[in-house]
Structure formats: structure tokens, C-alpha cells
Amino acid sequence: MTELNYTPEDADRGNANYASYHALWHLFDIGVVTDLAFASEAWDLADENCEKPDFKPTRVALIDVSVAYEHPNLMGAINTDLMIDFFSARLGTFPRPNVAPAFNLATSFLNGAAPMGINPIADLFLELVAHLPGEYVASAGPWNQPGRVLPTTSATFSAHGTAMAGLIGARPKTAPEVEFAIASRIPLNKEDGSLIPLKQKTLSAGPCLPYAGVDPYCEIVPISTSFDPDPEQLILAMLYAWLIGADVIVLARDFPDPLRSGITGRRDGNALLPEELKAIKGAYPCELSQAELALWDALHDLTLAMSQTIPIVCASGNGSDNSMIYPASMATAPGAPDDNGIIAVGARAATRNRAGYSTTSTQTAPVSVYAPSGDGERLDLAIHRMDTLDPDYRPHDHSVSYRDDLGVQYDGASDVANPVTDSTYATQSITSTDVPGLAGYNASPYPYATNKDGALFDYRSYYCDFSGTSAATAIAAGMLSLGMTSGKIVKGDGPSAKKQLRGGAAPTDDANATPALRWSVL
């Protein structure tokens, strides 16, 4: 009997050698910087505005998990006095209770009245304001206990928020600003294999960290929530963003509303259609209370109302079809009668094709703008897009017809012999800031990333690959913020900000991933 060998011994494999790779290619793609010396008309304009006596940094409210605010590139970007955590306490608690000063509602909080006066939002607003009285001292809170670590401020929960914050507004650091520790050889305990404490010496100045977000002049206020928040937590987070006078709100997540997330939520007036109610009951075996449904409805109305004043930048989702996630699904086409300030962001690969995973427009909600992000492999009737340089790629796992359609790798250049097609895979991902040490996306092999004096030890773990429509959303939010910082976009008008970000473009073209995010159209 002849033995069949379906995988030839000499099968080709990828070498993971991606040529012409630039870690900050996305800043060039959107036109914020024009050369490797970081020449930037946008940053020059922002810098001029910063010198004006009445200048106020653009305030970006990042509703996400928490942020590693002590990251070197995020120091100066994060407003550590105002950042709040709604995961650890129902009405919020401050991650730095021993540092935060006294708050005065009359001076610290810019919007003293609720954006909507209807229940149940009014009740939650009053509770939140009562939680922050005229002279509120954060250190007086009952959470201020020695040795206590608040859940969402733990590094374990901060990777996504840290990457988002870095893309929005990270600051470059020069060599004199960074302490760098050099470690001796790492010995192991012969008995149990554990690490023996490192002997380190600290240099007065280490390597520079030239990483930059899109708007390195803005200030970011992290508003931490849980991974699967209830409607009350989200309402409180939105109200807090309103209270502190946020200029931009960033939501690279979905609202898990049972009536609007995952199904169509179609209604006849205020009543759900029978087939929709049946689908909901199948997905939610427990009874949905009227109180909870009222809160979800209130969040929906609040988000729409706030977007008229504050642009809300939302991820459109990574479903690779037209299943746009909520609340991005509330975005409307510019010029529509019910136009709002909700901006649905899709992902655009370095090839300038739509990323393989990025959702497309729906009949009621178009993608507002496409921003750079990493690509995604895809193999279906619509697109054959594979990373053929990945060491795990084996061409003989795929049929000849698929292989012939895979096109070429994109490494930053294209020519007649290797044209960019729908099947061309873009090797460039997005580089962003990461939680140092073990907890980040790019985990360090060492138990810590700084020595006892706070000097950087394993600074590779301070950065990571980041992708998805989350990365695109952060870049779009950074561009919106930079437009406000430079004076190109007026604050306080959500629909107008969305229109300017799109450059007044015609309806979205998903096939060509347009309108594309560009500084030149502002």
C-alpha cells in the first residue's frame, strides 16, 4: 500500500521577516508627521496654542478599563487628579486617594447641571454630585486603607486602557528624563528554581523613549469601568465625563444592552415585536426587569443627547461583516435629519484596504471614518487574505485556487509586479504603550520592569502590538483632540466635529475604506 504524504518535506514556511517596518507608520498615514525627524504642522499649531495665556488642554474622557498612569510616556498625559474608578465602588473612587487634592464642584467641574433632567438619569446625577460635595477630599474615603489595591487600578486590568491612552496622547521622553537600570546575570535558586533578587545599578540617563500619541498636548481622564458593566455604571461614567467638561469621549467597547446589542431590537412603538422578544428570552433566560430596561433606555437617550455637545468616538466592531456594535450603531450619516455626534470608527490597514476584521456600514448606521490599524487574516468567499510570512503558515494547507488569490505581502511599498489587491495582507500592526512587567500584552519574562528606585529595567515590555477597531478608535480620537488643540475644530459641537473629521466627505465607501482619517481635511 502506498503511503500518502499530504505535506511535502520541503514545504515552504514563512520567515517572519517584514521589511520596511516603521513602528509609528500610522502617524505618517494620517498626515500628522511628515518625516522621521517628526516634522509636524499639526503639532506646531498645537504648540503655538499652548503658549497662549487662556489655553486649556483638550480633555479626553477615556471610558475603558484602567490605565498604567505611571508609564513614562503617559506621565503628563493623564490627569491623575480627576481619573475615577466605577468598578471598585458604585459611585466611583479615586485611584490615588493620598495624592488627589480637594475638589470643589464650583471650580473643578465644568458642567454643574445634568445633560438630561429625566428619571432615572436625574436621580443618578444627584447621587453622583452628592458623592462629590463642595469640598470633597479623596483621601478621606473609606477605601483609603494601607496596602489595599483597587481592582481596576491593578496592572492586571489595565492593558487595553494603557494602549488606548498611548495612541491618543503619549508624550515623547528624552534620554535625560528616563532612568534606566542595567541588571547583572539573573541567577536561579537551585532548590526551587525561583529568581534570586537582581543586583542592579542605575544610570543617570538611559535611552530616549521617542513614542508619541496623535495629540501629545491633550489631557486624558481615565474613567474605569468593569469588563461587563451594567447600565447604571455606564450612565454614571457618562455623567462624570459630562461633569468634568470632557471635550471628547472615547468608547472602544460595546454597551451590552439586551435590546440593542446583538439583535436588532426592533419595536412597534415602545413594544418589542414578538419575534424579537422571543429572541431576547432565548438569549437571556432570566427575566429582564422593567427597572433595568428603563436604565438601558435612559443610557441610550443620554448618549444621544450628550453627543450633540461632546463628540463620542466609538469602535465599530471586529465582526468583519455589517454587525456594527452598539453604541457605534447609533451613528448617522452627515446631513441626516437626526444627525448626531456619535462617530463610528472602522479599521484601515497599511495597504489602505479595509482591515480584514473591520465591520462595514449598515443600512441605518454608516462607518463614519476609517483610521489606521493592523490587518486581520481572512479566508472566505469575499476575501482571501493570509499572512504568508508567518512561521506557522504552510501553503500546502490551502488549495491552489486559494494560494493563487493570496497576492503579496505589503511592507510599505508597491510596484507594478506586486500590486496591492483585496487579498494583500498588510504586515504593519500598531505599536502602543503597554503595562510594564508581567501583566501587559507584551509581558516581560521578569517579575517586574523597574528596580526598587523606579528605574526602567526591561523597557521592552513598556510597548506592545495593538490592533482592531479599538486602535483605530484611539487614533481617531487623538486626531479629533489634536484638531481641537490646534484650533482647527471647535469644541462643544458633536455633529460639527464629526463632519470636520470626515472632511465633508460623501457617503462612506466600505470597499475602499473611505473617508480616511487625514489631517489635511481638517
Side-chain angles (χ1 to χ4, degrees), residues 187-234:
L188 295 177
N189 189 317
K190 293 181 179 180
E191 294 181 0
D192 59 7
S194 62
L195 291 173
I196 295 176
L198 297 170
K199 295 180 180 179
Q200 298 173 320
K201 61 179 181 179
T202 301
L203 304 181
S204 59
C208 63
L209 302 177
Y211 187 84
V214 179
D215 183 9
Y217 300 91
C218 72
E219 69 169 26
I220 301 168
V221 180
I223 302 176
S224 305
T225 60
S226 62
F227 294 111
D228 190 20
D230 58 30
E232 182 184 89
Q233 187 178 127
L234 291 168

Side-chain angles (χ1 to χ4, degrees), residues 397-419:
D397 288 346
H398 307 285
S399 70
V400 174
S401 60
Y402 276 148
R403 294 204 308 268
D404 290 346
D405 251 357
L406 286 179
V408 297
Q409 295 289 327
Y410 181 75
D411 61 5
S414 177
D415 53 40
V416 175
N418 296 299

Side-chain angles (χ1 to χ4, degrees), residues 1 16 80 139 161 210 222 247 262 291 297 338-339 393-394 439 449 474 494 499 511:
M1 183 176 178
T80 56
S139 59
D247 300 304
D297 286 343
D338 57 342
D339 192 22
Y393 172 75
R394 295 175 176 82
K499 183 178 180 180

Side-chain angles (χ1 to χ4, degrees), residues 309-339:
T309 304
I310 309 171
I312 302 175
V313 190
C314 304
S316 64
N318 303 328
S320 73
D321 52 21
N322 64 353
S323 58
M324 189 179 294
I325 63 174
Y326 172 73
S329 58
M330 290 196 289
T332 57
D338 57 342
D339 192 22

Side-chain angles (χ1 to χ4, degrees), residues 187-312:
L188 295 177
N189 189 317
K190 293 181 179 180
E191 294 181 0
D192 59 7
S194 62
L195 291 173
I196 295 176
L198 297 170
K199 295 180 180 179
Q200 298 173 320
K201 61 179 181 179
T202 301
L203 304 181
S204 59
C208 63
L209 302 177
Y211 187 84
V214 179
D215 183 9
Y217 300 91
C218 72
E219 69 169 26
I220 301 168
V221 180
I223 302 176
S224 305
T225 60
S226 62
F227 294 111
D228 190 20
D230 58 30
E232 182 184 89
Q233 187 178 127
L234 291 168
I235 290 173
L236 288 167
M238 295 290 286
L239 287 173
Y240 185 76
W242 174 270
L243 272 175
I244 62 174
D247 300 304
V248 179
I249 294 176
V250 185
L251 287 167
R253 63 183 311 159
D254 68 329
F255 287 173
D257 184 335
L259 303 186
R260 299 179 176 91
S261 179
I263 60 171
T264 62
R266 291 175 299 164
R267 298 184 179 217
D268 180 8
N270 290 324
L272 281 172
L273 296 178
E275 59 269 28
E276 294 297 297
L277 186 60
K278 182 179 179 181
I280 290 173
K281 288 185 175 180
Y284 295 87
C286 58
E287 189 70 24
L288 294 170
S289 70
Q290 290 302 313
E292 181 182 353
L293 292 176
L295 283 171
W296 284 119
D297 286 343
L299 175 63
H300 176 84
D301 295 341
L302 175 67
T303 305
L304 283 173
M306 286 180 60
S307 78
Q308 294 297 324
T309 304
I310 309 171
I312 302 175

Side-chain angles (χ1 to χ4, degrees), residues 154-160 434-444 446-448 461:
S154 168
T156 306
F157 296 92
S158 300
H160 191 274
D434 197 15
V435 178
L438 292 172
Y441 291 127
N442 184 24
S444 171
Y446 310 112
Y448 47 84
S461 74

